[in-house]
């Protein structure tokens, strides 16, 4: 899932996206989201019914980065807070620095600066 603030409206409460992510995850395929893309993850569950991000090392746009761009009011929730609330093991770099987490086949990137390393992590999971 790509980032951008449009995901705040399109990804966080989307039954089709939820179903697709859960199906891909259950099939042991790569699920990947960068920047605001992880807005799609809190609604998703593992096959056992627990939150998809629970006990997973994850990242996404930091609360301080959201405050820095002044767009907190358009977000349904602050991503860092929500990932932690859902039981994710949230990791981060300093604001605007690249950071990518890979936990099994779940790949997350913190912000736009993470895009290159995020793509490389996905490619490495897909390469034989």
């Amino acid at each position: 899932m790509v980032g951008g603030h449009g995901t705040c409206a399109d990804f966080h409460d989307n039954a089709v996206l939820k179903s697709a992510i859960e199906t891909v995850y259950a099939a042991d395929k790569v699920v990947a989201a960068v920047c605001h893309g992880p807005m799609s993850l809190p609604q998703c569950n593992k096959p056992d019914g627990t939150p998809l991000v629970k006990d997973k090392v994850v990242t996404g746009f930091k609360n301080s980065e959201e405050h820095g761009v002044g767009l907190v009011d358009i977000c349904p929730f602050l991503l860092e807070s929500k990932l932690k609330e859902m039981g994710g093991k949230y990791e981060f770099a300093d604001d605007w620095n690249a950071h990518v987490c890979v936990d099994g086949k779940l790949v997350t990137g913190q912000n736009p600066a993470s895009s290159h390393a995020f793509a490389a992590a996905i490619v490495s999971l897909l390469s034989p």
Side-chain angles (χ1 to χ4, degrees), residues 17-100:
L17 186 57
K18 176 184 186 297
S19 176
I21 292 168
E22 290 176 345
T23 299
V24 169
Y25 183 84
D28 198 33
K29 303 295 183 189
V30 175
V31 172
V34 65
C35 191
H36 284 87
M39 283 281 189
S40 61
L41 301 178
Q43 68 183 333
C44 299
N45 293 310
K46 298 174 189 169
D48 67 4
T50 61
L52 182 78
V53 299
K54 184 174 174 39
D55 299 324
K56 293 287 188 182
V57 177
V58 294
T59 194
F61 211 61
K62 287 174 62 180
N63 292 354
S64 57
E65 290 172 322
E66 201 67 74
H67 285 285
V69 297
L71 294 173
V72 172
D73 292 340
I74 71 161
C75 299
F77 48 80
L78 290 174
L79 188 51
E80 174 185 345
S81 296
K82 181 60 93 171
L83 293 172
K84 290 176 180 177
E85 175 188 317
M86 301 301 294
K89 297 176 183 176
Y90 185 85
E91 291 186 352
F92 59 91
D94 289 338
D95 288 3
W96 313 115
N97 285 282
H99 188 73
V100 173

